[in-house]
Amino acid sequence: MRRLFECPTKMKNLKLLSLCALSVALLAPSWAAPAAKAAGAPELSIAADRVKARINPHLYGLMTEEINFGYEGGLYGELIRNRSFKAEAGYAYQAEEPVYWSTVGAAEMALDKKTKLNDALDLSLALTIKSASPAQPAGIRNPGYWGIGLKPGTTYTVSFYAKAEGDVGPLVAALVKAGGATIVVGQIDGIGKDWKKFELSLRTGSGLQPSKDNVFTLTATRPGKLWLQQVSLFGPTFKNRPNGLRPDLMELMAGMKPKFLRFPGGNYVEGDTFAQRFEWKKTLGDPAQRPGHRSPWNYWSSDGMGMLEFLLWCEDLGMEPLLDVFAGYALNGERLSTAEDLAPYVQEALDQIEYIIGSPDTKWGAQRAKDGHPKPFAMRYVEIGNEDFFDKSGSYDQRFAIFYKAIKAKYPQLQLISTVATDATPSQRPDMVDDHTYAWGEARMYEHLNDYDQRPRTAPRVFVGEWATHSGWPMPNMKAAIADAAYLASLERNADVVLMAAYAPLLANLSQVMGHSRDRSMQWATNLIGYDALKSYGTPSYYVQKMFSEHLGDVVLESSARDIPNWTSDDGKSFPALHWVVTRKSETGKPGRIQIKFASRAAADQPVRVKLSGVKKLAPTAVLTVMTSPDPEAGNSLDEPTRIAPRTQTVKGIASEFTLTLPAYSVGVLEIEVR
Ligand code: AHR
């Protein structure tokens, strides 16, 4: 989908999230009992000895791109907005003034396009201090990305490049409350006539109240003229990596146990024009040597989140990279389709793959080693383009074949993914296809629950590279989570066809979700993880991902159900209210566990009679992980981050026949130990 939230009038799901304060339902003390089946109650029969399909251990992963301030003002640890002064304001894209910066005291600032730091950062901020003293300093201020999140007893690293005309004296870097009170301050001496990098640490006091209503200032105490570039501020990063990532967001993602990362897009790989694609070679090395570029989601990308940062993100969370290469098509329709025209882009993709998996004695493997990572990364999948069904000229057939042949010739071990239906690339059968399933409303997702049941098993396997149920705004509610769980159950049921799946988008900065698109922090509603400059949380949909990923089985077991009740959507359509999948997880030296995953859209508690055959002995108790909400419209928020979250409890009375009562509006996993 392109630019869904380009302007407010195009917003499809501009529905305010219900603000009703409702508590999570108290779980009934006993979920299972060997009681007889109530008349008409649903019955679930499981053949524990009949395997339907094997499950790819890499089924669940993450899809990511620069959208919703996902990296800038999100995962990427930089706290200064527009550190290079190259950012441009929204649609205007005329960097005539240093956006997101303002002056403090008697100072004047201007972009100086003649005074560059280097060819990448090819302009600077010229700062004229007209009058200043220690009591009345003058300089510049930056508000961060809708604030700067500060925590007590924490070290923040300031760095910048500067040069001056004459003696401007020491500069003062400070973290300041938005109201003006200084939190912590440090001084830097030695600004001379040539560019030099300066760095200092600022440590907040132990009594500081965590807050995001803070700004950064850099001031002088005497008059003069100086130039600044790459003014940066980092807090702690995950695993203390330099130029690293925000720890709370990494920890939330780690909780999902993702096995792969699809990057760098999405639309972000393509760009609005060829010139605005993700040019990976320009994202390597020293961040002060990266020019940055405009993202198709209408804001500036510093490219601090570059190729190696993506790969280290994979390494730190135990994920395999799933690289999406630019395939000669941009969002504005610009495209190339002959082998000759595409040759430079094919080479760009081959070099990119070499950067990831090449040994250090290859050209781009050597570059990776120089960048600090001699060891090649393990990678199995490469996707060619993104959503090329939007290219109505039909050029993808040629483009795909050209990229496929060139990549396969050099890397026969790689599985190559097409972005269109198999019959749209007759010139070259893909190894896999990437399907995108965005359901605009919970009922629409229920229409997708049989998408793969009838797919010919001889057709290429499927990567569901982007999918989500849109219900709730700005983030998914419990209804969305139930439909998501029903969808995931349908994918697991078809695990012989669907090898991988990733929800999209992953991240959203929720600081400013309303207003002109130029000013918004979120371009696409309904995402897994929300945050501002200080806090973060997982949505109910996030917890569905977590529950399914944490309980990934090895095989799908045969199961069937009868007497399932229906629910009726707002548009009068009727759908089964209970969806499920049964899997088995083996354990070394043990018979393993049977996992019943369910999504119940029923508005009341629902007893289900479970009948297990093909298994001799079961543990009498089982573990139930369940998430429920009495209000299906409710969701989580920055202030109530775990209002809806899974809880775990022990269930008694497990036998070859037992009754499990599913709470109204719930998603859960019952894990039964086989003995
Ligand atoms: O996930 C948001 C967007 O949806 C992606 O950038 C694009 O691939 C799809 O249309």
Side-chain angles (χ1 to χ4, degrees), residues 1-2 65 67 266-267 297 386-387 436 438 466 504-505 524:
M1 295 287 164
R2 313 270 147 155
E65 66 173 317
I67 185 174
N267 289 359
W297 298 102
N386 176 59
E387 294 192 336
H436 291 181
Y438 289 108
E466 296 182 25
W524 182 287

PDB file of all heavy atoms in Angstrom, residues 1-2 65 67 266-267 297 386-387 436 438 466 504-505 524, ligand 1:
ATOM      1  N   MET A   1       0.852  -1.185   0.000  1.00  0.00           N
ATOM      2  CA  MET A   1       0.000   0.000   0.000  1.00  0.00           C
ATOM      3  C   MET A   1       0.891   1.239   0.000  1.00  0.00           C
ATOM      4  O   MET A   1       1.898   1.247   0.692  1.00  0.00           O
ATOM      5  CB  MET A   1      -0.846   0.046   1.274  1.00  0.00           C
ATOM      6  CG  MET A   1      -1.820  -1.084   1.369  1.00  0.00           C
ATOM      7  SD  MET A   1      -3.158  -0.856   0.228  1.00  0.00           S
ATOM      8  CE  MET A   1      -3.817  -2.503   0.226  1.00  0.00           C
ATOM      9  N   ARG A   2       0.496   2.245  -0.719  1.00  0.00           N
ATOM     10  CA  ARG A   2       1.351   3.415  -0.787  1.00  0.00           C
ATOM     11  C   ARG A   2       0.733   4.587  -0.042  1.00  0.00           C
ATOM     12  O   ARG A   2      -0.443   4.897  -0.232  1.00  0.00           O
ATOM     13  CB  ARG A   2       1.584   3.855  -2.223  1.00  0.00           C
ATOM     14  CG  ARG A   2       1.948   2.734  -3.151  1.00  0.00           C
ATOM     15  CD  ARG A   2       3.424   2.536  -3.205  1.00  0.00           C
ATOM     16  NE  ARG A   2       3.639   1.111  -3.409  1.00  0.00           N
ATOM     17  CZ  ARG A   2       4.718   0.583  -3.968  1.00  0.00           C
ATOM     18  NH1 ARG A   2       5.696   1.347  -4.325  1.00  0.00           N
ATOM     19  NH2 ARG A   2       4.845  -0.698  -4.115  1.00  0.00           N
ATOM     20  N   GLU A  65      11.196  -0.672   8.311  1.00  0.00           N
ATOM     21  CA  GLU A  65      11.619   0.371   7.372  1.00  0.00           C
ATOM     22  C   GLU A  65      11.552   1.697   8.107  1.00  0.00           C
ATOM     23  O   GLU A  65      11.047   1.766   9.231  1.00  0.00           O
ATOM     24  CB  GLU A  65      10.715   0.406   6.134  1.00  0.00           C
ATOM     25  CG  GLU A  65       9.287   0.821   6.451  1.00  0.00           C
ATOM     26  CD  GLU A  65       8.439   1.013   5.207  1.00  0.00           C
ATOM     27  OE1 GLU A  65       8.937   1.604   4.242  1.00  0.00           O
ATOM     28  OE2 GLU A  65       7.280   0.569   5.214  1.00  0.00           O
ATOM     29  N   ILE A  67       9.641   4.468   8.735  1.00  0.00           N
ATOM     30  CA  ILE A  67       8.261   4.946   8.664  1.00  0.00           C
ATOM     31  C   ILE A  67       7.857   5.228  10.107  1.00  0.00           C
ATOM     32  O   ILE A  67       8.384   4.605  11.026  1.00  0.00           O
ATOM     33  CB  ILE A  67       7.344   3.874   8.019  1.00  0.00           C
ATOM     34  CG1 ILE A  67       5.909   4.377   7.810  1.00  0.00           C
ATOM     35  CG2 ILE A  67       7.307   2.600   8.823  1.00  0.00           C
ATOM     36  CD1 ILE A  67       4.995   3.388   7.042  1.00  0.00           C
ATOM     37  N   GLY A 266       9.554  -2.826   2.391  1.00  0.00           N
ATOM     38  CA  GLY A 266       8.803  -1.600   2.352  1.00  0.00           C
ATOM     39  C   GLY A 266       9.225  -0.549   1.306  1.00  0.00           C
ATOM     40  O   GLY A 266      10.168  -0.685   0.553  1.00  0.00           O
ATOM     41  N   ASN A 267       8.385   0.466   1.310  1.00  0.00           N
ATOM     42  CA  ASN A 267       8.585   1.576   0.386  1.00  0.00           C
ATOM     43  C   ASN A 267       9.978   2.191   0.518  1.00  0.00           C
ATOM     44  O   ASN A 267      10.506   2.778  -0.418  1.00  0.00           O
ATOM     45  CB  ASN A 267       7.546   2.678   0.663  1.00  0.00           C
ATOM     46  CG  ASN A 267       6.141   2.269   0.251  1.00  0.00           C
ATOM     47  OD1 ASN A 267       5.928   1.177  -0.253  1.00  0.00           O
ATOM     48  ND2 ASN A 267       5.179   3.146   0.463  1.00  0.00           N
ATOM     49  N   TRP A 297       8.420   8.469   3.305  1.00  0.00           N
ATOM     50  CA  TRP A 297       7.371   8.797   4.269  1.00  0.00           C
ATOM     51  C   TRP A 297       7.487  10.245   4.726  1.00  0.00           C
ATOM     52  O   TRP A 297       7.038  10.608   5.806  1.00  0.00           O
ATOM     53  CB  TRP A 297       7.394   7.800   5.430  1.00  0.00           C
ATOM     54  CG  TRP A 297       7.114   6.422   4.925  1.00  0.00           C
ATOM     55  CD1 TRP A 297       8.016   5.436   4.697  1.00  0.00           C
ATOM     56  CD2 TRP A 297       5.842   5.890   4.518  1.00  0.00           C
ATOM     57  NE1 TRP A 297       7.402   4.316   4.185  1.00  0.00           N
ATOM     58  CE2 TRP A 297       6.057   4.570   4.066  1.00  0.00           C
ATOM     59  CE3 TRP A 297       4.536   6.401   4.490  1.00  0.00           C
ATOM     60  CZ2 TRP A 297       5.028   3.753   3.587  1.00  0.00           C
ATOM     61  CZ3 TRP A 297       3.523   5.589   4.023  1.00  0.00           C
ATOM     62  CH2 TRP A 297       3.771   4.285   3.580  1.00  0.00           C
ATOM     63  N   ASN A 386       9.877  -4.512  -3.977  1.00  0.00           N
ATOM     64  CA  ASN A 386       8.816  -4.433  -2.979  1.00  0.00           C
ATOM     65  C   ASN A 386       7.504  -4.097  -3.677  1.00  0.00           C
ATOM     66  O   ASN A 386       7.437  -3.127  -4.437  1.00  0.00           O
ATOM     67  CB  ASN A 386       9.123  -3.331  -1.953  1.00  0.00           C
ATOM     68  CG  ASN A 386       7.995  -3.162  -0.946  1.00  0.00           C
ATOM     69  OD1 ASN A 386       7.640  -4.102  -0.237  1.00  0.00           O
ATOM     70  ND2 ASN A 386       7.413  -1.965  -0.889  1.00  0.00           N
ATOM     71  N   GLU A 387       6.487  -4.886  -3.465  1.00  0.00           N
ATOM     72  CA  GLU A 387       5.149  -4.621  -3.998  1.00  0.00           C
ATOM     73  C   GLU A 387       5.181  -4.185  -5.462  1.00  0.00           C
ATOM     74  O   GLU A 387       4.592  -3.161  -5.832  1.00  0.00           O
ATOM     75  CB  GLU A 387       4.436  -3.575  -3.132  1.00  0.00           C
ATOM     76  CG  GLU A 387       4.147  -4.083  -1.730  1.00  0.00           C
ATOM     77  CD  GLU A 387       3.192  -3.209  -0.933  1.00  0.00           C
ATOM     78  OE1 GLU A 387       3.079  -2.015  -1.232  1.00  0.00           O
ATOM     79  OE2 GLU A 387       2.556  -3.736  -0.002  1.00  0.00           O
ATOM     80  N   HIS A 436       1.264  -9.640   0.774  1.00  0.00           N
ATOM     81  CA  HIS A 436       0.954  -8.609   1.778  1.00  0.00           C
ATOM     82  C   HIS A 436      -0.544  -8.624   2.068  1.00  0.00           C
ATOM     83  O   HIS A 436      -1.348  -8.530   1.141  1.00  0.00           O
ATOM     84  CB  HIS A 436       1.388  -7.231   1.283  1.00  0.00           C
ATOM     85  CG  HIS A 436       2.882  -7.106   1.215  1.00  0.00           C
ATOM     86  ND1 HIS A 436       3.522  -5.966   0.824  1.00  0.00           N
ATOM     87  CD2 HIS A 436       3.862  -8.000   1.524  1.00  0.00           C
ATOM     88  CE1 HIS A 436       4.842  -6.158   0.883  1.00  0.00           C
ATOM     89  NE2 HIS A 436       5.058  -7.388   1.297  1.00  0.00           N
ATOM     90  N   TYR A 438      -3.056  -6.652   4.328  1.00  0.00           N
ATOM     91  CA  TYR A 438      -3.550  -5.644   5.274  1.00  0.00           C
ATOM     92  C   TYR A 438      -5.071  -5.726   5.267  1.00  0.00           C
ATOM     93  O   TYR A 438      -5.691  -5.601   4.214  1.00  0.00           O
ATOM     94  CB  TYR A 438      -3.104  -4.242   4.860  1.00  0.00           C
ATOM     95  CG  TYR A 438      -1.620  -4.003   5.062  1.00  0.00           C
ATOM     96  CD1 TYR A 438      -0.749  -3.922   3.986  1.00  0.00           C
ATOM     97  CD2 TYR A 438      -1.095  -3.858   6.345  1.00  0.00           C
ATOM     98  CE1 TYR A 438       0.610  -3.706   4.169  1.00  0.00           C
ATOM     99  CE2 TYR A 438       0.261  -3.634   6.542  1.00  0.00           C
ATOM    100  CZ  TYR A 438       1.111  -3.558   5.450  1.00  0.00           C
ATOM    101  OH  TYR A 438       2.442  -3.342   5.640  1.00  0.00           O
ATOM    102  N   GLU A 466       4.201  -8.696   4.898  1.00  0.00           N
ATOM    103  CA  GLU A 466       3.555  -7.577   5.588  1.00  0.00           C
ATOM    104  C   GLU A 466       2.109  -7.982   5.813  1.00  0.00           C
ATOM    105  O   GLU A 466       1.448  -8.443   4.868  1.00  0.00           O
ATOM    106  CB  GLU A 466       3.593  -6.298   4.738  1.00  0.00           C
ATOM    107  CG  GLU A 466       4.991  -5.789   4.478  1.00  0.00           C
ATOM    108  CD  GLU A 466       5.012  -4.490   3.675  1.00  0.00           C
ATOM    109  OE1 GLU A 466       4.015  -3.736   3.702  1.00  0.00           O
ATOM    110  OE2 GLU A 466       6.035  -4.245   3.010  1.00  0.00           O
ATOM    111  N   ALA A 504       3.368  -5.784   9.901  1.00  0.00           N
ATOM    112  CA  ALA A 504       3.906  -4.476   9.505  1.00  0.00           C
ATOM    113  C   ALA A 504       2.853  -3.380   9.700  1.00  0.00           C
ATOM    114  O   ALA A 504       1.669  -3.653   9.567  1.00  0.00           O
ATOM    115  CB  ALA A 504       4.348  -4.504   8.045  1.00  0.00           C
ATOM    116  N   PRO A 505       3.325  -2.155   9.956  1.00  0.00           N
ATOM    117  CA  PRO A 505       4.668  -1.812  10.383  1.00  0.00           C
ATOM    118  C   PRO A 505       4.931  -2.226  11.837  1.00  0.00           C
ATOM    119  O   PRO A 505       4.008  -2.549  12.577  1.00  0.00           O
ATOM    120  CB  PRO A 505       4.726  -0.291  10.240  1.00  0.00           C
ATOM    121  CG  PRO A 505       3.651   0.063   9.268  1.00  0.00           C
ATOM    122  CD  PRO A 505       2.567  -0.953   9.546  1.00  0.00           C
ATOM    123  N   TRP A 524       1.464   5.977   9.445  1.00  0.00           N
ATOM    124  CA  TRP A 524       0.672   4.777   9.149  1.00  0.00           C
ATOM    125  C   TRP A 524       0.155   4.243  10.475  1.00  0.00           C
ATOM    126  O   TRP A 524       0.948   3.855  11.341  1.00  0.00           O
ATOM    127  CB  TRP A 524       1.572   3.743   8.469  1.00  0.00           C
ATOM    128  CG  TRP A 524       0.918   2.473   8.060  1.00  0.00           C
ATOM    129  CD1 TRP A 524       0.502   1.463   8.877  1.00  0.00           C
ATOM    130  CD2 TRP A 524       0.621   2.048   6.733  1.00  0.00           C
ATOM    131  NE1 TRP A 524      -0.031   0.445   8.147  1.00  0.00           N
ATOM    132  CE2 TRP A 524       0.035   0.776   6.815  1.00  0.00           C
ATOM    133  CE3 TRP A 524       0.806   2.619   5.475  1.00  0.00           C
ATOM    134  CZ2 TRP A 524      -0.374   0.061   5.687  1.00  0.00           C
ATOM    135  CZ3 TRP A 524       0.409   1.899   4.368  1.00  0.00           C
ATOM    136  CH2 TRP A 524      -0.184   0.636   4.472  1.00  0.00           C
TER     137      TRP A 524
HETATM  138  O1  AHR B   1       3.990  -1.168   5.874  1.00  0.00           O
HETATM  139  C1  AHR B   1       3.730   0.051   5.284  1.00  0.00           C
HETATM  140  C2  AHR B   1       3.829  -0.012   3.769  1.00  0.00           C
HETATM  141  O2  AHR B   1       2.876  -0.903   3.286  1.00  0.00           O
HETATM  142  C3  AHR B   1       5.117  -0.535   3.201  1.00  0.00           C
HETATM  143  O3  AHR B   1       6.088   0.435   3.107  1.00  0.00           O
HETATM  144  C4  AHR B   1       4.725  -1.019   1.850  1.00  0.00           C
HETATM  145  O4  AHR B   1       5.498  -2.088   1.409  1.00  0.00           O
HETATM  146  C5  AHR B   1       3.294  -1.397   2.038  1.00  0.00           C
HETATM  147  O5  AHR B   1       2.517  -0.820   1.062  1.00  0.00           O
END
